[in-house]
Amino acid sequence: MTSTLHPGLGEAARSFLSRTHQLLIDGRMVESDSGRRTDIVDPGTGAVIATAAEASATDVDRAVHAARRAFEGPWSKVTPAERTRMMLRFASLIEDHADELAELECINSGKPLPFCRNGDVVGIAEMLRYMAGWTTKMGGETPNVSMPGEWHAYTLREPVGVVGQIIPWNFPLNMAMWKIAPALATGCTIVMKPSEQTPLTALRLGELALDAGIPAGVLNIVTGFGNPVGAAIAAHPGIDKVAFTGSGETGRRIVQAASGNLKRVSLELGGKSPVIVFPDANLEAAAAGVCSSIFFHAGQICAAGSRLYVHERVFDEVLDGIAKRANAMKMGHGMDAGTQMGPVISRRQLDRVAGYIDQGQQEGATLFAGGQASGEHGYFVQPTVLTGVKPGMRVHDEEIFGPVLCAMSFNDEDLDSIAATANATTYGLAASIWTKDLGRAHKMARRLQAGIVNVNALSSPDATLPYGGYKQSGWGRERGYDAIKLYTEVKAVAINLNN
Ligand code: ADP
């Protein structure tokens, strides 16, 4: 490991990286209780680019108390319209610092810079603006009750309280904002733990929130490892809700830890999302869509289309189109011009993905494209396509979280049986259908057990669309009005007008 920074980084990002990063608690950067620090690595080179503070359970406790004070104090006095204005200012500040945020996101997560700039940074500003609109629009109802006598009954939608938010390393900015924005909109306060591998942009967001006038203690950021920091958040009796995005294994631990005070839990876990290509589809667009879904960000996307089902009549044509694109894809550092696919996040992830590619072949799959991994200078895995994959093989059943596509064919016309094959997984996050037949598209959409179904598209990144999974892909929906529901309690008030 070296301490070389990518030459393309601008002054603002360099200056941020050179700081001693601390914890953001109660509106101030403070040292962690342990004094320990973790190396933060650029996965495109393997170089250490910064160190971050390792919080302890005591730090989490301090953050929870700050969040509680803000929730019961200053934040509760801020009107919905004022919250909207603060959130809009926060969004504008993000845009003012777009290049810095995009470069920090790129150098720490590995994603190509143009996407960090035009996808992540633009996306989080939009998410804030969308959620800012709800502060003055969400509200209760006046149900038409049938109890004897005369009543006035209504419901109130109230913030759930202090929320713990634990996020992963694949989309540090987006995952942070998908959770911060609805929490701010509803009047909650936050203790957030970014991934120990990618804490930098969340810390910068925390500072910009303060600059936007959001009171101290509303957004606290505690950096460090899942254990003890995430575990302390999940178990803390002073936290009313925990929102988590990450692996199923950690999700289960969080559910157990949260059971102590029965805090609300929302989970966005993994996926093994099917892509179904019918013979009448625009095959060029399907091949391009599949490649961008599974190879973009090196497959480290929970909704990546990782199981491909192509009708046998067009299987060879679609697979050739995919292999051609995969083989031509420019792998490199996210900051390098022209990079189409960056590194995986770490050596551990590289070994994991390479292990799946090897094991898939041992279990009988055929390597159709890619397959090589290199960890010498950064952590790179080639865009890989496996054919001859069958249920029961680990590459078929498990989430790889790498650039590995499992391609299979079908010869059936019966939508129920195609759907049964696609649904034969413990996951249910996303699915994609490719056909020009509208009836078939709608019928398939109804049959698929997935929280997100895209037709003639692999993704639909819009703040208004609920995002979350069926089955073991999670609990609850982020984005859209469903996210507002996730951060609120409903209170029914009934007044007997005769007494
Ligand atoms: P990965 O192994 O790919 O990092 P995880 O699901 O373990 O995926 O990580 C997602 C987030 O969950 C990270 O912020 C991580 O630190 C956190 N985490 C890991 N273990 C725990 C735990 N036991 N309790 C709470 N959070 C955890």
Side-chain angles (χ1 to χ4, degrees):
M1 296 223 186
T2 70
S3 62
T4 324
L5 289 180
H6 191 282
L9 278 179
E11 257 327 296
R14 282 173 186 276
S15 153
F16 181 77
L17 287 172
S18 70
R19 291 204 231 156
T20 302
H21 302 289
Q22 297 176 307
L23 313 175
L24 177 58
I25 298 180
D26 211 6
R28 287 188 317 118
M29 287 294 177
V30 293
E31 204 35 71
S32 72
D33 178 55
S34 70
R36 279 204 295 271
R37 306 196 63 79
T38 319
D39 285 345
I40 306 301
V41 171
D42 170 359
T45 60
V48 175
I49 52 171
T51 65
E54 269 183 44
S56 67
T58 311
D59 295 314
V60 170
D61 199 48
R62 281 198 286 164
V64 172
H65 282 99
R68 178 64 59 190
R69 281 194 301 277
F71 180 71
E72 287 169 2
W75 195 227
S76 67
K77 310 281 187 307
V78 176
T79 66
E82 282 168 332
R83 284 210 303 277
T84 299
R85 281 195 291 275
M86 288 176 187
M87 291 174 72
L88 296 179
R89 272 203 300 275
F90 188 8
S92 298
L93 282 174
I94 285 170
E95 286 175 341
D96 293 347
H97 294 84
D99 289 336
E100 175 191 354
L101 285 167
E103 287 169 17
L104 292 173
E105 186 81 341
C106 171
I107 198 152
N108 197 188
S109 76
K111 229 175 297 140
L113 183 65
F115 186 87
C116 297
R117 180 70 180 75
N118 306 319
D120 295 312
V121 176
V122 170
I124 62 168
E126 284 312 304
M127 178 61 74
L128 260 173
R129 292 199 173 103
Y130 168 79
M131 288 296 169
W134 278 118
T135 60
T136 51
K137 283 145 206 97
M138 66 185 195
E141 294 171 347
T142 49
N144 220 359
V145 297
S146 300
M147 297 179 286
E150 236 180 304
W151 294 80
H152 172 49
Y154 60 93
T155 63
L156 292 172
R157 189 167 281 284
E158 299 180 339
V160 69
V162 175
V163 299
Q165 304 184 327
I166 302 170
I167 58 170
W169 44 259
N170 58 342
F171 288 86
L173 279 174
N174 256 304
M175 293 300 96
M177 195 51 80
W178 285 21
K179 291 180 170 45
I180 292 171
L184 294 178
T186 50
C188 295
T189 58
I190 301 160
V191 177
M192 166 165 284
K193 190 198 97 60
S195 165
E196 57 274 19
Q197 298 180 86
T198 55
L200 300 174
T201 45
L203 287 169
R204 192 70 186 103
L205 284 183
E207 292 179 332
L208 295 178
L210 287 170
D211 294 346
I214 292 169
V218 172
L219 174 56
N220 304 279
I221 316 269
V222 280
T223 55
F225 287 92
N227 200 358
V229 188
I233 289 174
H236 202 292
I239 291 184
D240 302 297
K241 169 190 165 62
V242 62
F244 170 73
T245 299
S247 64
E249 196 185 327
T250 303
R252 284 182 184 80
R253 282 203 199 103
I254 286 175
V255 169
Q256 279 168 5
S259 70
N261 70 335
L262 289 176
K263 58 173 65 68
R264 279 82 188 103
V265 179
S266 56
L267 304 170
E268 204 266 272
L269 308 175
K272 192 77 186 179
S273 299
V275 182
I276 305 160
V277 182
F278 289 97
D280 67 326
N282 177 340
L283 302 181
E284 277 282 311
V290 166
C291 286
S292 69
S293 171
I294 188 69
F295 300 140
F296 160 69
H297 200 17
Q300 302 167 116
I301 308 177
C302 32
S306 49
R307 283 184 298 141
L308 174 67
Y309 298 95
V310 186
H311 193 282
E312 66 175 12
R313 279 213 305 278
V314 294
F315 183 81
D316 290 344
E317 185 179 344
V318 171
L319 263 284
D320 285 346
I322 290 172
K324 195 178 74 196
R325 285 178 171 81
N327 293 334
M329 206 159 228
K330 186 169 176 251
M331 268 199 301
H333 194 286
M335 293 287 298
D336 290 344
T339 291
Q340 293 170 302
M341 191 178 99
V344 296
I345 192 70
S346 60
R347 178 167 297 280
R348 181 174 150 237
Q349 190 66 8
L350 178 127
D351 291 342
R352 202 181 109 87
V353 175
Y356 272 112
I357 296 171
D358 285 349
Q359 189 171 18
Q361 293 173 85
Q362 281 163 29
E363 289 181 340
T366 304
L367 190 64
F368 192 78
Q372 297 301 309
S374 156
E376 271 165 40
H377 188 69
Y379 315 116
F380 291 93
V381 182
Q382 281 182 327
T384 298
V385 181
L386 295 173
T387 54
V389 174
K390 295 195 175 55
M393 293 181 183
R394 285 188 59 199
V395 286
H396 174 280
D397 296 350
E398 297 175 17
E399 184 180 41
I400 298 174
F401 225 61
V404 183
L405 178 70
C406 294
M408 293 156 276
S409 65
F410 65 93
N411 56 14
D412 214 318
E413 299 300 327
D414 175 41
L415 300 188
D416 285 324
S417 95
I418 297 168
T421 305
N423 290 335
T425 163
T426 54
Y427 294 111
L429 186 56
S432 165
I433 303 160
W434 291 77
T435 178
K436 288 188 180 136
D437 179 336
L438 264 185
R440 179 152 65 188
H442 286 295
K443 284 181 191 168
M444 277 306 290
R446 290 177 183 199
R447 282 164 175 72
L448 291 170
Q449 296 164 343
I452 304 135
V453 177
N454 294 305
V455 177
N456 296 331
L458 257 303
S459 72
S460 41
D462 195 285
T464 64
L465 291 174
Y467 190 100
Y470 281 38
K471 301 193 276 185
Q472 293 182 27
S473 287
W475 291 348
R477 298 290 180 272
E478 298 186 305
R479 304 197 313 198
Y481 183 60
D482 288 80
I484 296 293
K485 291 200 225 161
L486 219 51
Y487 284 90
T488 47
E489 294 279 9
V490 173
K491 181 182 282 173
V493 183
I495 306 167
N496 185 338
L497 299 175
N498 294 325
N499 293 329

